[in-house]
Amino acid sequence: MVCSNSVLSIPSSPYIPFHFPLLPLPNQQFPTHTKTPSTMAITKQHLIPLFAISFLLFFQLHCSTASAQAPAQSPAPPGPPDVTKILQKAGQYSVFVRLLKSTQVSDRLIGELKDTDDGKTIFAPTDKAFSALKSGALNSLNDEQRVQLVLFHVIPSYIPLSQFQTVSNPMRTQAGDSGDGEFPLNVTTSGNRVVLKTGLTKTSVSDTIYTDGQLAVYRVDQVLQPLQVFAARSSALAPAPGISRKAADVDGKSKASSLAMQNLALFVVSVIAFALSL
């Protein structure tokens, strides 16, 4: 049934007079009247239009209420993929997820995936890969070095696994310029095997965690250690070259002997000066 806004026309019905009997007077009786078939027919005849009119009024009210409701909104388009949710669903990447969140790189990736069409490629080390680092290596990094470490695992373009053989070395990462020797990442391929080299780390892509044409996330079994972060830290902790322990000991003894001779000469001069004053 189609809703319409036309005015309902109510058919007129013939006037039916109603007779109200008078109260009987004392000792007066009125003849008893019985309902005739014609009276019953008139009653049913007028109940049918009344029912039809009630139904039409209810239907028009329902249509008016439905038309007043706001139209349903179309669902919002899906946003860019969230790397942390992808890794959490895959499991065994809790350390890398924690680094992504603490450095706010995860939020940065979502914004860049939304604003650019180049896509991203991420190498995700497993928890076992982080446990293989030297004791305290991760905790000794400052905030800037942590950001550099995470961004060293991010390539600013989408690279399918079959296209690594076409990339040029050193491959650019989001940690910094790879041409100055600070953040070099070299890629070699052999069949379907992709090998990554940083100067301190050599590992291979062992699995594809996620890919959708915009974002590719690959599993690596070792942490990609950039020279700018880990090589500089190692040289700072190493002892200064050129002086052996034996040479250092000899030099220390020589300085002690020289100091003793100076003290002795000062004592002799003091004794002579005291003797002359007598």
Side-chain angles (χ1 to χ4, degrees):
M1 181 178 293
V2 180
C3 300
S4 63
N5 295 323
S6 59
V7 180
L8 293 175
S9 59
I10 303 176
S12 60
S13 59
Y15 171 74
I16 302 174
F18 291 89
H19 300 280
F20 297 93
L22 298 175
L23 294 175
L25 297 174
N27 300 325
Q28 182 180 3
Q29 295 181 353
F30 287 92
T32 303
H33 296 280
T34 59
K35 294 182 179 180
T36 61
S38 61
T39 305
M40 295 295 294
I42 291 174
T43 304
K44 291 181 180 179
Q45 180 182 359
H46 290 85
L47 284 176
I48 292 174
L50 182 61
F51 176 79
I53 293 171
S54 300
F55 176 77
L56 291 175
L57 288 173
F58 172 79
F59 182 76
Q60 187 177 20
L61 179 62
H62 173 73
C63 293
S64 300
T65 305
S67 62
Q69 294 177 354
Q73 297 180 353
S74 58
D82 190 334
V83 178
T84 58
K85 292 182 179 179
I86 293 172
L87 294 176
Q88 286 173 342
K89 184 177 180 180
Q92 65 181 331
Y93 298 95
S94 59
V95 178
F96 193 53
V97 168
R98 187 166 64 250
L99 284 173
L100 284 167
K101 291 182 177 180
S102 63
T103 57
Q104 298 182 350
V105 173
S106 58
D107 297 334
R108 172 177 171 178
L109 290 175
I110 292 176
E112 292 178 352
L113 286 171
K114 182 179 179 181
D115 297 336
T116 63
D117 297 329
D118 295 334
K120 301 291 179 184
T121 300
I122 299 176
F123 301 110
T126 62
D127 292 339
K128 187 177 180 180
F130 279 100
S131 64
L133 293 174
K134 293 181 179 180
S135 178
L138 193 60
N139 294 329
S140 63
L141 302 179
N142 57 37
D143 293 341
E144 181 182 2
Q145 290 173 330
R146 286 171 180 262
V147 173
Q148 291 173 339
L149 174 62
V150 175
L151 292 178
F152 190 60
H153 292 75
V154 180
I155 309 299
S157 60
Y158 170 74
I159 306 177
L161 195 61
S162 59
Q163 294 184 9
F164 275 102
Q165 57 186 353
T166 63
V167 300
S168 58
N169 287 318
M171 188 165 53
R172 186 168 63 94
T173 70
Q174 290 198 202
D177 189 5
S178 60
D180 57 3
E182 294 181 349
F183 297 97
L185 181 60
N186 295 302
V187 181
T188 58
T189 59
S190 177
N192 295 329
R193 187 167 180 258
V194 178
V195 179
L196 306 173
K197 300 178 182 179
T198 71
L200 295 174
T201 305
K202 179 181 178 182
T203 187
S204 59
V205 175
S206 56
D207 192 17
T208 300
I209 304 172
Y210 178 87
T211 181
D212 63 356
Q214 183 188 18
L215 173 67
V217 184
Y218 300 112
R219 167 181 169 172
V220 290
D221 295 327
Q222 291 189 37
V223 178
L224 302 179
Q225 302 179 40
L227 289 172
Q228 174 68 12
V229 176
F230 287 91
R233 177 177 174 274
S234 299
S235 61
L237 296 177
I243 301 178
S244 63
R245 177 174 295 181
K246 184 177 181 179
D249 293 341
V250 171
D251 184 68
K253 292 179 179 180
S254 176
K255 290 181 178 179
S257 300
S258 177
L259 183 59
M261 292 297 294
Q262 291 177 2
N263 292 335
L264 180 60
L266 183 60
F267 176 76
V268 171
V269 170
S270 300
V271 170
I272 294 174
F274 178 76
L276 293 175
S277 64
L278 294 177

